[in-house]
Amino acid sequence: MSLRHRFPLLRALLLVFLLVGSGVSTGVAAAVDTATEAPSPQARITQAERALQAVRRSLDDADAPETLRTLSEQALQAKRDADAAVAALAPQLEQIDARIAQLGPLDDGATEERSISRQRGALDQQRSQLDADIKRGKLLAEDARQLSDSIEKTRAQQFGEQLGRKVGSPLSPALWRQFAASLPDDLARLQGLYRQAAGGLKAAVAAHGWTAPLVGAGLALLMVFPLRLWLRRLGRRYAASELAPDGRLRRSGLAVWLLLVGTLLPGFAAMVVVASLRGISAIPPRLESVADIFVMASFVAAFYAALAASLLVPHRPSWRLLGIDDVAALHLRRFAWGAAGLTWLSALLREINRSARTSTVSTVTLDGLVALSYVALIMAALVTLARLHRRRAAAAAQAEQEAGTADGRPPRATRSGWLVLARLGGHLTVLSALVATLLGYLNFAMFVAQQMVWVTVVVMAVALLTRFADDLSLWLFAPDSAFGRTLRLSTGVSPARLEQAGVLLSAALRITLVLLGVAAVVVWFGNTAALTAWLDTLNTGLKIGGQTLRPAALLWAVVVLLLGLGLMKVLQQWLVDTWLPKTGLDTGARNSISTVARYLGIALAVLWSLATLGIGFEKLALLASALSVGIGFGLQAITQNFVSGLILLAERPVKIGDWVKIGDQEGDIRRISVRSTEIQVGDKSTLIVPNSELITKTIRNMTMANALGRVQIQFSVPLGADVGRVRQLLLDLFAGHEKVLADPAPSVFIDSISGGLVALNCFAYVSSPRAVYGVRSDLLFELLRATAEQGIALVTPTDVRVLHADPQPGDPAH
């Protein structure tokens, strides 16, 4: 693809960045142009119709690719104007319909007041006119789209015919005879163009002097050499200083800085030179296109060279982003310079030939020489990559031998994915270009060689920018960065969430850059107008079902969702920390209120976001109906747990802090959510119970309604013991313990008398079931001590011994 085709591509790619700010830019433009009256939507439709008619009239005489591209862009502009007019008229039609609806339907044979009748007639007439204008605009937009598609097909057909056109082979003497025969005339045309350029410069200097050209040349030299070198040195110095951010961002940031400086300053220098010549009218009309190509080619060539310099860095291996050695980096940088110089020279020579109107055979010969030069550069780069591969294999073999891990098998060379792909693509390109050149398909050979260079440049640029985007995102949202610390202090977000935000931002930027790279690679199969049309469609909205989704609306919906969630979190934090502690409610009630408020805030934020997208409640009802089918088949358990969680939060049969027993497990409730409840059991592990279990099954709530704890002590004394003294002893023990309650009073009962034993059953109460185990242990300790001091015998278990009939020596019973 030539530079004339490639720079409209770059211009089209810039539209992607304009999509994000389309809503903002519309508002700014409206604020700036308040003093200028914009044309009405009807007038814009009329202007678009005239423009489309002009495109149809010009299409009959258009055959050049540049002319067809211009006509296609004009047709797309007419489509954009028609779409904008329709979008402006649609709200007016909705307002008219709303006013007519307020009047109500008019029944057959009914009469109404004259004023109402006049208003109804006027509204009907306005609605009819608006409806006709909208239909006319939609039809015009469709006609413009179809015309643009037709022009694109014609351009694609011409492009294919140009690639498949066969001319003389460089090995054929006939081509060189034709070139020699046309050479005198071509030289004469070039000399005429040169005289025209020299005459224009001489006349301009005679009229305005040499001040402007000399100042322009001086500024250009200043930007290319001192300023560019100083900025490169400044970037390296900053990257090596302590002020630069730590981590990988130092290297990738320096590479992007070198790329910007190396691309912009030479391009701006070319623009200054051309602007200084145009300022004194020193460029003849026939050389205006040459001046434009000179500027464009300067930017592209500078981009090629700067990209190689930022990635390879031959003399500073520690800053190199590619995993290659110094020798390969030095050679590849020279080849990149060669490709940049060849691109600049070939673009300029082709435009000079076109402006001088040289013969076709001269253009074909020039294309053949350029194609062979590209092939030579690619072959030289392949040789360098092959040598790099051999050096890596030798280094790997030597490392294995030195480490003593070689086992007699041949060493395996370390392979790099990008190196293998580069070598494979280069060999295929060289083979295709050489075969096409020898067969006489010079256009195809030049196209293949140029695209190999272009694809390589795009891939390397995307790789650099994606790495920079990843490093910048992770550094920006790092918890210890300045921006990260500010976010943590202002919002209270956790470090893990900050890192997640950095990863998400990195993914979004990398996806955007990859899409731009893919568009830059594949768009030359058709036309930049196709990309422009796709971007226009994306900007106006994608039709999904009956809903139109626009990028700006989608972005605002995400912003609204994040804002709603942020407000919800702030409100919940205020409830938990400020208001609820002052209400006197218990912990469970406060948790229920905060949980319900949280989920209610999430629901409101989602509804607000959907309303921003233009999705009304009637569409949400359809969505709920569709979800009900899924709930009926596979989401019953989830829905049951969700509803059970709402019941638990509302009725509060159990609450946070309760001690419950479910099945053979018991413990304290620590958290209740809308799906499950967390219970901490005795070994400090957490039991997660679905909420439906707490609603549908029997649960013992040990602490519900301020339940008391009951301490039970059972033991036996001999029948001859003084039971009254034992009873008083127990009552004194209960009264002496600080945690035993006086009301209800402790009690001592005789449970049974049998076998010469009196079984006693004693009860005491404490304030909480959680204190039962500890108090019971304390009372048992005191009981043993007191009975021992007072000589009260407690019955011990019967010791049963089994004796053998014939005791043997050594038997313990013998």
Side-chain angles (χ1 to χ4, degrees), residues 389-615:
H389 175 70
R390 287 195 293 270
R391 287 196 297 271
R392 286 183 173 181
Q398 183 178 0
E400 287 186 359
Q401 293 175 0
E402 292 177 355
T405 58
D407 53 1
R409 293 180 298 179
R412 293 177 298 176
T414 57
R415 292 184 176 271
S416 176
W418 72 267
L419 186 59
V420 173
L421 291 177
R423 294 181 63 189
L424 178 61
H427 282 95
L428 292 177
T429 301
V430 169
L431 180 62
S432 302
L434 287 177
V435 171
T437 302
L438 294 178
L439 294 179
Y441 296 97
L442 297 182
N443 290 333
F444 180 76
M446 184 174 179
F447 174 78
V448 170
Q450 284 184 336
Q451 292 313 312
M452 178 61 191
V453 175
W454 175 245
V455 169
T456 303
V457 169
V458 170
V459 170
M460 291 294 101
V462 170
L464 171 61
L465 294 179
T466 52
R467 183 165 183 174
F468 172 71
D470 182 60
D471 296 342
L472 179 62
S473 302
L474 296 181
W475 170 81
L476 188 64
F477 285 92
D480 55 349
S481 67
F483 182 72
R485 287 194 298 269
T486 303
L487 282 181
R488 290 177 59 189
L489 293 176
S490 59
T491 63
V493 65
S494 63
R497 293 295 177 86
L498 275 179
E499 294 177 353
Q500 293 173 9
V503 172
L504 291 177
L505 178 61
S506 171
L509 293 177
R510 295 175 73 174
I511 290 174
T512 302
L513 291 171
V514 169
L515 291 178
L516 290 175
V518 171
V521 170
V522 304
V523 76
W524 48 268
F525 284 106
N527 183 24
T528 57
L531 178 62
T532 307
W534 181 80
L535 295 178
D536 288 339
T537 303
L538 186 62
N539 190 26
T540 55
L542 298 176
K543 201 76 172 179
I544 301 178
Q547 187 66 29
T548 301
L549 295 182
R550 295 179 176 84
L554 187 60
L555 178 62
W556 278 114
V558 173
V559 172
V560 165
L561 179 61
L562 295 178
L563 180 61
L565 294 178
L567 290 176
M568 177 273 300
K569 187 173 182 180
V570 171
L571 177 60
Q572 187 189 22
Q573 197 72 25
W574 176 79
L575 283 174
V576 173
D577 297 339
T578 305
W579 186 71
L580 289 177
K582 295 179 174 57
T583 59
L585 297 174
D586 57 75
T587 305
R590 284 183 284 176
N591 174 76
S592 300
I593 294 174
S594 63
T595 303
V596 172
R598 175 172 177 265
Y599 286 100
L600 182 61
I602 292 176
L604 292 177
V606 172
L607 292 177
W608 188 14
S609 177
L610 293 177
T612 305
L613 282 177
I615 301 177

Side-chain angles (χ1 to χ4, degrees), residues 345-381:
L345 184 62
S346 61
L348 206 58
L349 290 178
R350 284 174 62 89
E351 190 61 28
I352 290 175
N353 280 344
R354 195 188 67 84
S355 299
R357 300 181 179 91
T358 57
S359 61
T360 304
V361 66
S362 298
T363 303
V364 169
T365 304
L366 176 63
D367 292 343
L369 293 176
V370 171
L372 291 176
S373 300
Y374 275 118
V375 169
L377 280 174
I378 296 174
M379 291 178 64

Side-chain angles (χ1 to χ4, degrees), residues 62-97:
D63 54 356
E66 292 81 5
T67 305
L68 291 175
R69 177 179 58 81
T70 303
L71 293 178
S72 178
E73 291 179 352
Q74 291 176 358
L76 288 178
Q77 183 60 42
K79 177 183 179 301
R80 287 192 289 268
D81 292 340
D83 288 335
V86 169
L89 291 174
Q92 300 181 20
L93 183 62
E94 293 177 358
Q95 294 176 1
I96 295 295
D97 288 337

Side-chain angles (χ1 to χ4, degrees), residues 226-238 254 257-259 261-262 265 305-306 309-310 316 333:
L227 183 59
R228 182 176 64 91
L229 296 178
W230 178 75
L231 289 177
R232 286 167 59 90
R233 189 178 301 110
L234 180 64
R236 292 193 182 98
R237 188 179 305 168
Y238 176 78
L254 176 61
W257 172 257
L258 296 178
L259 178 62
V261 171
L265 289 181
S310 60
R316 294 176 176 84
R333 185 180 182 184

Side-chain angles (χ1 to χ4, degrees), residues 711-715 729-730 733-734 737 772-790 794:
V711 179
Q712 182 180 15
I713 298 177
Q714 293 176 313
F715 65 96
L729 173 65
L730 289 171
L733 289 178
F734 290 148
H737 199 287
V772 169
Y773 194 82
V775 172
R776 183 173 181 273
S777 176
D778 294 340
L779 292 175
L780 288 176
F781 275 114
E782 291 296 324
L783 176 64
L784 293 175
R785 181 190 60 79
T787 54
E789 289 179 354
Q790 297 186 20
L794 299 180

